């Protein structure tokens, strides 16, 4: 255990500045273009639903399971009071989870704790797998977890560092785009049961306020994440 702990918390040297810049550009291309975004958006959904699930547990709601769908949507099933702070916080957590996770990943990469970051991601995926209630969701988590495990076991340290940087940027950028897409759907009245609209029904504030709040947190996370990973 001592050897494993030492391996877990070892600090890697800072990446070359060009590696950080290229990683950011790769993540921006993935999020900004339609085809790679459609392929990778499910990873943001995993983080989104994981945020709902974690907050449900923290607020002592009964967590009944998570479903991930092939159209990259998802749902977290909880049971408890239909109103109150626990329900509000659970609904808030979804869109906030990807950018905040990205900010945490940015901080860990800046500190050189790449190994700790990757093992942490694997642990979160395993925990979510225990809560999945549909076959497609289980398959996606097994594939993603298998890729992360292979990265731990077989990839050299410099490759792990690059993947961690891309992942951090991807979570930061990928946390913004779903919020913009949400607002577009709300304008066309295609998202009546979105997190923002559920929050509007739970509180006195309109759904647009929550969209703005989600976007504010996401953009702030991008700014601070970029500051932390700034190669200069």
């Amino acid at each position: 255990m001592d050897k494993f702990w030492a391996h877990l918390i070892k600090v890697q040297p800072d990446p070359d500045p060009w590696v950080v810049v290229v990683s950011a550009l790769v993540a921006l291309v993935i999020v900004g273009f339609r085809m790679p975004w459609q392929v990778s958006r499910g990873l943001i959904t995993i983080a989104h639903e994981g945020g709902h699930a974690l907050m449900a547990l923290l607020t002592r709601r009964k967590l009944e399971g998570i479903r991930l769908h092939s159209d990259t949507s998802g749902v977290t099933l909880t049971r408890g009071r239909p109103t109150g702070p626990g329900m509000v916080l659970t609904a808030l957590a979804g869109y906030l989870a990807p950018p905040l996770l990205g900010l945490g990943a940015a901080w860990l990469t800046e500190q050189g704790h790449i190994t700790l970051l990757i093992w942490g991601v694997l642990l979160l995926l395993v925990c979510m797998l225990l809560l999945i209630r549909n076959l497609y969701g289980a398959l996606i988590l097994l594939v993603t977890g298998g890729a992360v495990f292979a990265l731990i076991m077989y990839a050299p340290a410099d490759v792990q560092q690059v993947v961690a940087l891309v992942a951090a940027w991807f979570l930061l950028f990928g946390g913004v785009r779903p919020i913009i897409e949400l607002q577009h759907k709300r304008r066309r009245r295609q998202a009546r049961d979105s997190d923002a609209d559920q929050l509007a029904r739970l509180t006195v504030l309109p759904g647009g306020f929550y969209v703005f709040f989600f976007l504010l947190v996401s953009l702030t996370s991008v700014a601070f994440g970029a500051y932390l990973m700034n190669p200069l």
Side-chain angles (χ1 to χ4, degrees):
M1 288 299 297
D2 290 341
K3 290 182 179 179
F4 176 73
W5 180 249
H7 168 73
L8 200 63
I9 63 173
K10 70 178 180 180
V11 177
Q12 290 190 3
D14 293 337
D16 293 331
W18 69 268
V19 174
V20 180
V21 174
V22 171
S23 300
L25 291 175
V26 169
L28 193 59
V29 167
I30 293 173
V31 173
F33 288 87
R34 182 177 180 181
M35 185 62 69
W37 174 243
Q38 288 179 338
V39 174
S40 62
R41 194 186 192 283
L43 300 177
I44 298 297
T45 303
I46 292 174
H48 180 110
E49 299 305 329
H52 284 313
L54 177 60
M55 187 56 69
L57 292 173
L58 292 177
T59 56
R60 297 188 176 183
R61 292 184 62 80
K62 177 69 174 179
L63 182 58
E64 296 189 337
I66 301 171
R67 292 178 179 270
L68 302 173
H69 303 133
S70 58
D71 62 354
T72 71
S73 66
V75 61
T76 299
L77 306 172
T78 66
R79 187 170 59 188
R81 288 184 57 192
T83 59
M87 187 63 192
V88 171
L89 291 173
T90 299
L92 270 174
Y95 281 100
L96 300 183
L100 293 179
L101 285 173
L103 185 58
W107 180 77
L108 285 174
T109 55
E110 189 273 335
Q111 296 291 316
H113 293 301
I114 305 299
T115 304
L116 181 62
L117 171 61
I118 298 175
W119 275 100
V121 169
L122 183 61
L123 177 61
L124 291 175
L125 290 171
V126 171
C127 291
M128 283 194 67
L129 183 61
L130 300 176
L131 300 170
I132 283 293
R133 296 296 181 264
N134 68 322
L135 181 60
Y136 180 82
L139 178 62
I140 288 299
L141 286 176
L142 285 172
V143 170
T144 306
V148 174
F149 183 75
L151 180 69
I152 292 172
M153 296 301 296
Y154 302 113
D158 54 347
V159 173
Q160 292 183 8
Q161 187 177 63
V162 171
V163 173
L165 286 167
V166 173
W169 286 114
F170 173 74
L171 286 169
L172 290 170
F173 295 145
V176 176
R177 179 162 178 172
I179 300 169
I180 298 173
E181 293 175 346
L182 169 63
Q183 184 58 24
H184 288 163
K185 290 181 179 179
R186 292 185 72 250
R187 286 178 179 174
R188 297 193 296 267
R189 300 185 182 276
Q190 297 176 347
R192 296 180 182 273
D193 292 324
S194 69
D195 292 351
D197 292 282
Q198 290 183 44
L199 286 163
R201 291 192 288 268
L202 290 167
T203 64
V204 297
L205 299 172
F209 169 83
Y210 290 103
V211 175
F212 173 77
F213 178 70
F214 295 153
L215 188 61
L216 178 63
V217 173
S218 296
L219 293 176
T220 303
S221 298
V222 171
F224 275 101
Y227 171 77
L228 289 172
M229 293 187 289
N230 180 4
L232 301 179

